[in-house]
Each structure stands twice: as C-alpha cells, then as structure tokens.
Amino acid sequence: MIDRLRAAGCVFAEDEAVLLFEASDSPADLESRLRRREAGEPLEVIVGWAEFCGLRVVVVPGVFVPRRRTALLVELAASGLPAARRALVLDLCCGTGALGLALAARVSIDLVAADVDPTAVACARRNLAGIGEVFEGDLFAALPGRGSGQFDVILANAPYVPTGDIDLMPPEARLHEPVTALDGGDDGLAIHRRIVAAARSWLAPGGRLLIEVAERQVEPAIHLIEAAGLAPQVGRDDEREAIGIVATRRARGESRGQ
C-alpha cells in the first residue's frame, strides 16, 4: 500500500497508509479508499475528517478542506476578545465550520456561521452541533438583521485565488473542491471587497474582521480596508506561509490617527 501511495505522489505515504487503514472497515473498503487516493481525491475527504488546530473536523465530499495555514486567523481572533463577557463571533464563508469550531475550543463565545453552499452548510452543522447556529445564504444576507452592529469578531476565510490561477492549483483542490470556495475573481479579492464594504455595519465598535490573503494581495487589501473606514493590521506566520489581516472598527470617539 505504501508503494502505491508513493507512486501516486503522496509525500507522506506512510502516514496516509495508517489513516486509510484506520478508516477502513474491511480489506475491500481499504482497497476502495486506496484507489480513490491514487486517483487524487483529498485524503481528508476519503477518511472523513481533517486535523485543524488539534481538532478533528468532519469533511464530506464537495467541501473546502481546511488548511493548516488558516489556523493563524484563529490565533489572531483569540487574542483581544472581551474579557468581561462572551464575545459574539461570525464565521463567514464557513465551509466546514472549522474556524468557528477551533475558536470555540479556545475561548467562550457565542457563535454564528454562514455559507452560500448547501453542502458546506450541512457539514458545518455537523461540526458545530451544540456550539453555534449555521445559516445558508450569500455572505451577510444569510443572517438578515441578526447581530447587526454587534459582532466582536468576523472570521472570513473567503476564496482568494485569482480566477486565472485556479488551473495551476493541485488537482486535489482544483478537481475536488467547489470552485465557489476557491475563485476570488480577477485579483482574488472580489469576495473580500464585498465583505469589507459591509463589515463596518456588522461589527461592534472595536470589533474585528479577519481575512486571509496571499502576499501579493496584502497592499490592495490594506487599501480597501482603509477605504472602508477600518484600521488594518497584518499578521504573518512564515512557517505556515500564512498571512492574516485584522481590520478593526474603531471604537466610538477614536480617530483614524489613533
């Protein structure tokens, strides 16, 4: 089995072999899963879960698989939450619900999540059962009138791959994840523009929006955040090749220069 996985280009063939074996109920089931992996299907979909921030997150076919680098958004969000009360958090473009799940495992929050994809919504509801509510719809329209101007944190792992770069992505993502979870328009920031433009009216004073971008998108993202009246701050994790931008709604009375 390990030789077959290596031949299929699996870098961590030994580790993958263990996971496939543990997920299988019979030799026939193992063979079926192995063939799916050889065909390029994501390992996380085949075994039914992904590791994220030390948690097992349910993953089903047709959803975006949470990436290790996105843990940076969770870490940035966890810092600076209000100490005197439970923070109200929105996991927007939630996919599996991994970000909200990981943040709720770290700190006490009231969680709301939303996604436009019904498959993702169903998956997130499994992961967030008993933790938060999940709504289906296009960005903030999924929760009309709900929590407007009250969110302490909005996590938005929106798609940011430029349309022209999707064909360059690994087959695992390009062929097995929904294009709506990957395609960020011409420059990769089309969804971010919509989120940033509306975020101020959904954030509480001092509330923060967190987005993930690529290096070449940092400066354009900062400009659109500032144009929306929010204060940007860039966080980086070189080991995970992760970049997260925190956009803060200034507290009442706080000037742009502060």
Side-chain angles (χ1 to χ4, degrees):
M1 176 167 55
I2 294 176
D3 289 341
R4 288 173 64 180
L5 290 170
R6 285 177 176 155
C10 301
V11 177
F12 302 104
E14 292 86 353
D15 295 335
E16 292 197 13
V18 171
L19 293 174
L20 290 169
F21 180 82
E22 291 177 345
S24 302
D25 298 327
S26 66
D29 185 23
L30 176 59
E31 177 64 24
S32 174
R33 294 176 191 267
L34 181 56
R35 288 181 178 178
R36 290 168 61 190
R37 187 68 183 116
E38 288 176 311
E41 194 170 346
L43 175 68
E44 294 86 353
V45 174
I46 297 170
V47 300
W49 61 273
E51 189 279 330
F52 185 75
C53 292
L55 303 172
R56 282 197 176 193
V57 179
V58 173
V59 174
V60 300
V63 300
F64 180 81
V65 177
R67 310 310 200 237
R68 176 174 173 264
R69 63 176 173 269
T70 309
L72 175 61
L73 292 189
V74 176
E75 294 162 4
L76 292 172
S79 63
L81 287 176
R85 58 178 175 80
R86 291 168 63 94
L88 181 60
V89 175
L90 170 61
D91 185 355
L92 197 62
C93 304
C94 69
T96 61
L99 273 71
L101 179 67
L103 186 59
R106 292 178 176 230
V107 291
S108 294
I109 59 173
D110 292 321
L111 178 65
V112 178
D115 201 286
V116 71
D117 183 357
T119 301
V121 169
C123 185
R125 284 174 177 161
R126 292 177 61 183
N127 283 311
L128 298 177
I131 298 173
E133 295 181 272
V134 185
F135 297 90
E136 181 181 338
D138 183 27
L139 301 181
F140 296 102
L143 24 141
R146 184 180 181 83
S148 180
Q150 299 178 32
F151 285 107
D152 298 292
V153 168
I154 299 175
L155 292 161
N157 187 25
Y160 61 91
V161 180
T163 304
D165 290 353
I166 290 178
D167 287 343
L168 305 177
M169 296 186 71
E172 290 185 2
R174 175 168 43 86
L175 301 178
H176 297 281
E177 293 180 325
V179 69
T180 53
L182 304 173
D183 192 344
D186 290 344
D187 64 353
L189 295 175
I191 310 301
H192 292 77
R193 286 189 180 87
R194 295 177 58 205
I195 293 172
V196 170
R200 183 178 175 84
S201 65
W202 289 86
L203 287 168
R208 297 171 295 149
L209 164 69
L210 294 94
I211 60 174
E212 182 176 285
V213 298
E215 182 63 50
R216 60 179 167 171
Q217 297 166 333
V218 171
E219 288 303 319
I222 287 175
H223 292 322
L224 69 92
I225 288 168
E226 290 177 335
L230 303 173
Q233 184 175 5
V234 180
R236 284 182 166 85
D237 184 324
D238 294 337
E239 180 182 350
R240 289 180 290 202
E241 298 182 343
I243 302 174
I245 302 182
V246 182
T248 303
R249 178 183 173 185
R250 297 173 180 85
R252 293 185 179 90
E254 184 178 348
S255 68
R256 284 178 178 261
Q258 289 180 288

